């Protein structure tokens, strides 16, 4: 299964940060391979945090 991540992070004042990541899953989750379609799982992660 191949699922690369792409993302970015921005650090604000004194350790406060935001980040965004996108998962691009290229694998087909359907058990039987037919020409009727595919089932893939792509998602976006958004975060806000503080580093100490």
């Amino acid at each position: 299964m191949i699922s690369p991540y792409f993302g970015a992070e921005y650090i604000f004042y004194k350790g406060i940060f935001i980040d965004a990541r996108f998962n691009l899953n290229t694998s087909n989750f359907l058990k039987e391979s037919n020409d009727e379609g595919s089932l893939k799982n792509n998602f976006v992660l958004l975060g806000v945090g503080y580093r100490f």
Side-chain angles (χ1 to χ4, degrees), residues 4-51:
Y5 275 91
F6 302 98
E9 178 179 82
Y10 183 78
I11 300 173
F12 290 103
Y13 180 72
K14 292 191 176 183
I16 298 172
F17 70 93
I18 61 171
D19 66 350
R21 307 208 186 280
F22 178 71
N23 176 276
L24 178 64
N25 195 333
T26 59
S27 301
N28 188 0
F29 287 106
L30 290 178
K31 299 271 183 192
E32 298 179 21
S33 78
N34 54 23
D35 293 334
E36 294 183 18
S38 65
L39 177 64
K40 296 181 180 181
N41 183 19
N42 298 326
F43 56 89
V44 174
L45 300 170
L46 300 174
V48 178
Y50 176 74
R51 290 197 175 130

